Amino acid sequence: MDVIFNRASVRRYRKEPVPQRVLMNILEAGRRAPSAMNAQPWHFIVVTDEKKKEALSRRRWTGFLKDAAFIIIGCGEKDKKWSTVDVTIALQNMVLAAEAQGVGSCWIGDFDESEVKKLFGIPDNLKVIALVSFGYPAEKPKPRPKKPLEQIVHYNKF
Ligand SMILES: Cc1cc2nc3c(=O)[nH]c(=O)nc-3n(C[C@H](O)[C@H](O)[C@H](O)COP(=O)(O)O)c2cc1C
């Protein structure tokens, strides 16, 4: 519960690299996520290359991506109905695994899919679902305000 309650998107990162063991735990958390019919219709690209991180940083809401230790691009198989949900679950597993190990992260929806597909050579049968940046935090943002349960939860009827 601490991991979930204390997490907040981190957009400033220390220069310190994230050890391979920690990265592998994050990827492993994604690999173990549930998926419809256990299809696991996902591919993940780990971006550490400085030039490629820089290229992803050039958009309105992504300026901080160049400072991330790495970025994970989540891709889903187009012909699987639930791949968007499946990839999203896997990426959020990674976010929580990162947080549990002291690594901050931020979801990124601000990308041009065709640009990303070209830059990383992603095949046509895959769609880019989202990016998530990771790195040791250089800021400790407070958890953001969330709607109270009374506003969003309904019992037995809307
Ligand atoms: C699908 C999705 C896309 C997002 N895209 C961006 C983005 O492009 N740039 C950014 O700085 N934050 C992005 N965020 C982070 C949200 O702004 C953040 O999660 C939200 O403000 C709530 O803050 P919290 O994560 O600290 O709870 C995105 C989050 C999600 C879930």
Side-chain angles (χ1 to χ4, degrees), residues 143-155:
R144 272 88 194 188
K146 303 293 173 180
K147 293 179 182 176
L149 288 180
E150 304 81 73
Q151 241 178 60
I152 57 172
V153 180
H154 313 269
Y155 292 95

Side-chain angles (χ1 to χ4, degrees), residues 27 30-31 39-46 71-80 83 86-88 90-91 94 120-123 125-131:
L27 295 172
R31 187 176 79 85
Q40 306 163 62
W42 44 47
H43 286 271
F44 304 102
I45 303 174
V46 181
I71 299 155
I72 295 183
I73 304 174
C75 302
E77 293 171 14
K78 282 182 187 169
D79 65 350
K80 297 280 179 356
S83 66
D86 296 336
V87 171
T88 302
L91 288 174
M94 295 185 195
F120 294 92
I122 298 168
N125 65 315
L126 299 180
K127 55 186 170 180
V128 180
I129 309 297
L131 282 53

